[in-house]
Amino acid sequence: EDWILLRRLGFQPPEAKESNGGYIETMPVVGDVFSPQAGVFRLRDFWPANVAEGDHVIANFSGDAARPAITWHNFGKGRVVLVWASTIVPDNYPF
């Protein structure tokens, strides 16, 4: 079954069967995880997130609040963080 681990951890899987190929700029949300000094970074092969009640958005695709890129929610005594992409590409990645 697709996305079984995601479901078991309490996340709603994306509706799309395939990721959006390519790269997208991602803007951190200042607060729980990222400081005001955090900068834009890129993600590769990303999925549109389905954010459920209780999920916290900590980064958005292209700075658009309606397009979450990284979310987290409480699970047991901790948190589970989900990056809605295959790869995080550092700012200075040598291509």
Side-chain angles (χ1 to χ4, degrees), residues 1-49:
E1 180 182 345
D2 291 338
W3 307 107
I4 192 160
L5 182 58
L6 213 62
R7 285 188 181 96
R8 286 186 180 173
L9 293 172
F11 289 96
Q12 293 293 321
E15 294 175 12
K17 295 276 185 196
E18 300 289 325
S19 67
N20 294 310
Y23 298 87
I24 190 166
E25 297 239 323
T26 305
M27 176 65 73
V29 175
V30 175
D32 290 330
V33 176
F34 293 106
S35 72
Q37 292 78 27
V40 174
F41 55 95
R42 291 186 299 161
L43 296 176
R44 183 177 64 89
D45 298 334
F46 56 95
W47 284 268

Side-chain angles (χ1 to χ4, degrees), residues 10-12 50-57 71-74 80 84:
F11 289 96
Q12 293 293 321
N50 286 327
V51 179
E53 186 176 333
D55 288 353
H56 302 268
V57 177
T71 59
W72 70 265
H73 70 248
N74 293 323
V80 177
W84 292 92

